[in-house]
Amino acid sequence: MIFVTVGTQLAFPRLVEAMDSLAPDLDEEIVVQCGPVKGVWNNIVAVQSMAPDEFSENFAAARVIVAHAGIGTILSAKNAHKPLIIVPRQFKFGEHRNDHQMATARYAQKLAGVHVAWETDELMGLLLNPDLEPAHVDPGPSHAALVNRLRDFIDQ
Amino acid sequence: MGLSQIDLAGSQAGHDMLGASRSDNRGKGVPKNMTKKRILAIASGGGHWQQLMLLRDAFQHHDVFYLTTLPGLAAQFDANPSALVPDCNRDEKLAILHACWVIAVRLVRFRPHVVISTGALPGVITLVLAKLIGARTIWVDSVANAEEMSMSGKLARRFADLWLSQWEDVAAAEGAEFAGAVL
């Protein structure tokens, strides 16, 4: 199963439409959480939002996750050890308030198991790859340093 | 209860912390001689919340109360006790007022010594109101903001005793502190 999520805040029709057009050529169930938008798609079933446990169930059941370049999604993929394909939202298409998802994607592509489709026409190649590397949790020294700084401040 | 009383309670508890040894007790619960503090931890649903959860080791040895915007989210992460606040953004003035009221009630009831937020706007509101009752405040800007501080982060600056970016370059450019990152 392919789980597609665009987060809860904003619609992302470019990604949902791309998945709709790819669906006939993918022999795989596609579950889409499409955000606040009312659309009619021919080949996929989409729900606007999911309760947290329903979201987690779909996340766990998926072979691969396709998503916007949201930090929450990236962290979820790391926790769930899933291969993640991200399409960054772009300001020029009105998909977010600025281009911070482009910056996130540039950084996240260095993370194991995070694969960036800079344009939607790169999705098919990634989705047809049966051996996409999964993301994984690797709490590094930078994470520990941040926690220690906060703990020192809180305890003082 | 008046605001001055709340402030006093916060200050007194703060003095109890003096002299407590910290460095030897990291990750081992509350150090001896240290009174548990009340920590209010707030983040909007989604990435903000996930980052707050990744920072729990910094504060979960104290009494923590969680606030978030999405029903069921706190329970999923065993973040107890918790309550909901209405989500809001800069374009929704009425929602902002509603969130202010809900947050103010929580602050007066819980009287936190420290407030920590990873965003977004409800977190800023909480920091602003927390300063009024004498709490110490922490803003950890979302790791999503790799090129400049978030709008919420910029708003939070004046009200944050500890103002962090998770990007070294952003921190240097904006005068924030960099201590590390969750990603």
Side-chain angles (χ1 to χ4, degrees), chain A residues 48-115:
Chain A
Q48 293 196 0
S49 65
M50 290 178 179
D53 52 354
E54 185 187 3
F55 184 88
S56 295
E57 282 163 22
N58 280 297
F59 219 98
R63 171 184 70 90
V64 56
I65 312 293
V66 179
H68 72 151
I71 293 297
T73 310
I74 294 170
L75 295 174
S76 294
K78 283 164 70 100
N79 283 331
H81 304 273
K82 295 292 177 179
L84 172 65
I85 301 169
I86 51 177
V87 180
R89 294 174 183 269
Q90 294 194 43
F91 177 70
K92 69 180 178 189
F93 298 133
E95 292 163 350
H96 218 309
R97 286 183 284 271
N98 55 37
D99 265 331
H100 75 268
Q101 287 211 348
M102 294 293 280
T104 299
R106 279 194 291 277
Y107 177 78
Q109 67 177 340
K110 295 180 234 163
L111 301 173
V114 181
H115 313 271

Side-chain angles (χ1 to χ4, degrees), chain B residues 52-76:
Chain B
L52 184 68
M53 291 298 98
L54 288 172
L55 299 174
R56 284 170 95 169
D57 279 350
F59 50 77
Q60 63 185 0
H61 50 299
H62 293 288
D63 289 328
V64 188
F65 194 96
Y66 293 94
L67 293 177
T68 188
T69 57
L70 201 61
L73 192 57
Q76 192 187 21

Side-chain angles (χ1 to χ4, degrees), chain B residues 82-119:
Chain B
S82 70
L84 285 174
V85 295
D87 203 0
C88 58
N89 64 53
R90 277 168 286 142
D91 305 325
E92 303 166 334
K93 306 301 180 211
L94 271 178
I96 290 174
L97 281 177
H98 186 200
C100 285
W101 170 250
V102 171
I103 290 165
V105 168
R106 289 291 165 192
L107 281 167
V108 169
R109 279 195 197 154
F110 186 61
R111 292 181 295 120
H113 301 106
V114 180
V115 174
I116 180 169
S117 182
T118 49

Side-chain angles (χ1 to χ4, degrees), chain A:
Chain A
M1 186 265 276
I2 299 169
F3 183 43
V4 182
T5 172
V6 305
T8 57
Q9 300 267 328
L10 300 164
F12 193 1
R14 185 164 59 100
L15 176 56
V16 178
E17 281 160 20
M19 291 306 300
D20 185 48
S21 64
L22 293 177
D25 297 321
L26 291 163
D27 185 22
E28 199 166 359
E29 184 191 0
I30 301 177
V31 177
V32 182
Q33 181 265 309
C34 65
V37 61
K38 283 197 169 59
V40 177
W41 297 284
N42 298 320
N43 307 310
I44 55 172
V45 177
V47 297
Q48 293 196 0
S49 65
M50 290 178 179
D53 52 354
E54 185 187 3
F55 184 88
S56 295
E57 282 163 22
N58 280 297
F59 219 98
R63 171 184 70 90
V64 56
I65 312 293
V66 179
H68 72 151
I71 293 297
T73 310
I74 294 170
L75 295 174
S76 294
K78 283 164 70 100
N79 283 331
H81 304 273
K82 295 292 177 179
L84 172 65
I85 301 169
I86 51 177
V87 180
R89 294 174 183 269
Q90 294 194 43
F91 177 70
K92 69 180 178 189
F93 298 133
E95 292 163 350
H96 218 309
R97 286 183 284 271
N98 55 37
D99 265 331
H100 75 268
Q101 287 211 348
M102 294 293 280
T104 299
R106 279 194 291 277
Y107 177 78
Q109 67 177 340
K110 295 180 234 163
L111 301 173
V114 181
H115 313 271
V116 179
W118 294 102
E119 303 293 341
T120 51
D121 59 10
E122 296 170 51
L123 280 169
M124 196 60 173
L126 290 164
L127 286 169
L128 290 177
N129 180 349
D131 300 315
L132 271 185
E133 185 190 3
H136 56 85
V137 182
D138 49 354
S142 184
H143 185 184
L146 176 57
V147 168
N148 286 341
R149 173 69 182 105
L150 292 170
R151 191 178 168 118
D152 281 346
F153 180 88
I154 289 165
D155 286 353
Q156 79 188 206

